Amino acid sequence: MKSRNQSFIIYILLFIAIIAMVFFTVNQQSGAQEEIPINELATDIKNGDVEQIIEDDSRLEITYTNNDIKTSTKDPSTPLIDQLVALGVTPEELTSEGLIIDIQLPSPLLGLVSIASYILPFIILIGLFWFIFRQAQGSNNAAMSFGKSKARMFSGDHPTVTFEDVAGVDEAKEELQEVVEFLREPQKFIALGARIPKGVLLVGAPGTGKTLMAKAVSGEAGTPFFSISGSEFVEMFVGVGASRVRDLFEQAKRHSPAIVFVDEIDAVGRHRGAGLGGSHDEREQTLNQLLVEMDGFDTDTNVIIIAATNRPDILDPALLRPGRFDRRVVLDRPDIKGREEILDVHVKGKPVSPDVDLYDIARSTPGFVGADIENLVNEAAILAARRDKKVIEQSEFMEAIERVIAGPERKSRLINENEKKIIAYHEAGHAVVINALPEADTVQKVSIISRGEAGGYTMAFPEEDRVLKSRRQLMSDMIVLLGGRAAEEVAFNDITSGASNDLERVTKLARTMVMRLGMSEELGPMVYGKQEELVFLGREISEQRDYSEHIAEKIDASIQSLVQNAYDQAKSILSKYRSELDQIANKLLEVETLNADAFYEIFPTPVEKNGGIPEKVV
Ligand code: ADP
Ligand code: MG
Ligand code: ZN
């Protein structure tokens, strides 16, 4: 804003300067009349041709008896009369009746204008320089203030977030309760000679509530809360990040007991000496400063650092040493009970129909983290508002789940009849395979309404959450993923590009099974290849080969045979249940969406289910 104003002023000044210069030059040349030398004027006076001379400074305007007007210039230092006399005009001729010599006193205003037209351009130029200079200085000042921490302080007096707002992470809350107690009554701990934790590292997937948890700790303890994100530390100029850290800690010490919260600490705390990035030196300095500050804390400083990361594996080991971030609090993805509790927190204060079943919603959202659930509740509220309802009902929640998982419905997408038929068989194929496999989930919904990128979708949820996946379950995941493509082949004897995402996932899964999980019979229980994050490219994963060419061939063959095997199984299941496949595809073409009841009416589950955890949508 400020710099825009300044450049605006510069433009105005430039504009004025140009106008003034133009005015000045025009003024100089004003009067396009014929200019004659002064001796010619003298001759004309002698001849009696001149009627009037108007003398304005050194400029002469001469009116002739025949009404011609010419101009001339006199020497500014001597009076006109003297000059004319010197050129041989007699005093009689000068005072003859027909001639009027009119000396114009310079008008004060005109004088000002002419003075201004000389001086103004200079003033403007000086002004311009001044502005440019000031601007340069301004940015200099800004560079100085970069060193100041941008930490935002939230006062603990009016806690906005408490432990009540954080649901489903009871263990984490318990551990942090200790930190809260210390901040409230440090003396109690110090009296017993207990060493107080300096740093707490919150670890968890994005959206699991790390930021929320840190705020809740400060809310519970009633202490000031200084928050800054790791990426804010690392900015433009070398050394600035380090001075920010210093400033942040000074502020916190002044307000102690206090909490310093460093969000996304992996931005500064990466392994030192790793990576080739340009900002890498900067990061190292910042990290060093952070370590120095943490070591400099006395036990009675009463400042606790809480840091959050979703990548603890890439943090510098120095940060994790005892005496620094020695406490690690893990925020897991919530289980079904946790999800129900988080739902409860977020529906509070919203008008929700009494028949809404939060447990059912929790069951339908495996893998959701707190942020997803917040988003889900919000989507449901928006849907209810758009349907002009007074309360949010179960149907809005269910629709919202699909929106969050697969994106909004795209009913307007034009699909021709033939394509619709292929999509119907593709989705029916996934669903039939899910239903026929003992290890797979239960089908919740099949639809050929396109959502987001997908042409159609099949949703299946497990009956309960699971932590481990068996080899057989992973195999069944692959068969389910390939069910769509297999149905296309079984029904049309041709295949389409619609399965590209399925194929990508299935290949990745097979690769993981062989190389990371040791699930290939030929290659045995070993991990192949070292995965390393290329720091300078951010997310890129590079794989370092630590196996021979011979093994590489075996890996490829093993992956290929896993996928091929899964595909053959999918095809054989679909051939076996061909009539069910046709019925479901036809029903889909008719009504577009089948819920669980409609699906099982056509195709009752033919096997005893013992659970599996495929991805939520295929
Ligand atoms: P993170 O920092 O781990 O990425 P956030 O703390 O920013 O996640 O969480 C984002 C939002 O998700 C929070 O503002 C909150 O509304 C919701 N949320 C996340 N976890 C929980 C939880 N355990 N209980 C209640 N709400 C949660
Ligand atoms: Mg966060
Ligand atoms: Zn598919």
Side-chain angles (χ1 to χ4, degrees), residues 119 204 359 437 460 464:
I119 296 176
Y359 180 81
L437 279 169
E464 55 203 25

Side-chain angles (χ1 to χ4, degrees), residues 4 33 52 115 122 141 149 157 166-167 246 262 307 371 425 436 480 508 525 541 582:
R4 258 187 58 188
Q33 290 101 342
Q52 189 186 26
I115 289 170
F122 288 101
N141 283 341
S149 106
D157 301 339
V166 193
R246 218 174 304 132
V262 186
Y425 267 91
V480 167
K508 200 171 150 202
I541 305 281
D582 290 337

Side-chain angles (χ1 to χ4, degrees), residues 316-327:
D316 197 290
L319 272 175
L320 304 173
R321 211 198 64 186
R324 286 170 184 162
F325 290 105
D326 45 2
R327 294 286 164 100

Side-chain angles (χ1 to χ4, degrees), residues 355-397:
D355 65 343
V356 164
D357 182 354
L358 292 185
Y359 180 81
D360 194 38
I361 301 169
R363 201 177 67 88
S364 309
T365 48
F368 272 39
V369 292
D372 294 327
I373 292 172
E374 185 198 13
N375 186 15
L376 164 76
V377 173
N378 188 44
E379 288 281 343
I382 289 171
L383 278 171
R386 276 179 34 192
R387 292 171 183 170
D388 292 322
K389 290 188 178 176
K390 293 272 173 288
V391 292
I392 312 171
E393 286 175 69
Q394 188 80 355
S395 58
E396 277 83 42
F397 280 107

Side-chain angles (χ1 to χ4, degrees), residues 164-169 204-215 261 263-264 308-310 331-332 334 338 341-343 345-346 369-375:
E164 293 238 316
D165 301 303
V166 193
V169 277
T208 44
K210 300 182 292 294
T211 310
L212 187 72
M213 189 57 124
K215 282 187 189 155
F261 178 53
D263 210 350
E264 329 260 333
T309 180
N310 50 12
L331 297 177
D332 274 325
E341 285 168 19
I342 297 173
L343 272 165
V345 165
H346 285 283
V369 292
D372 294 327
I373 292 172
E374 185 198 13
N375 186 15

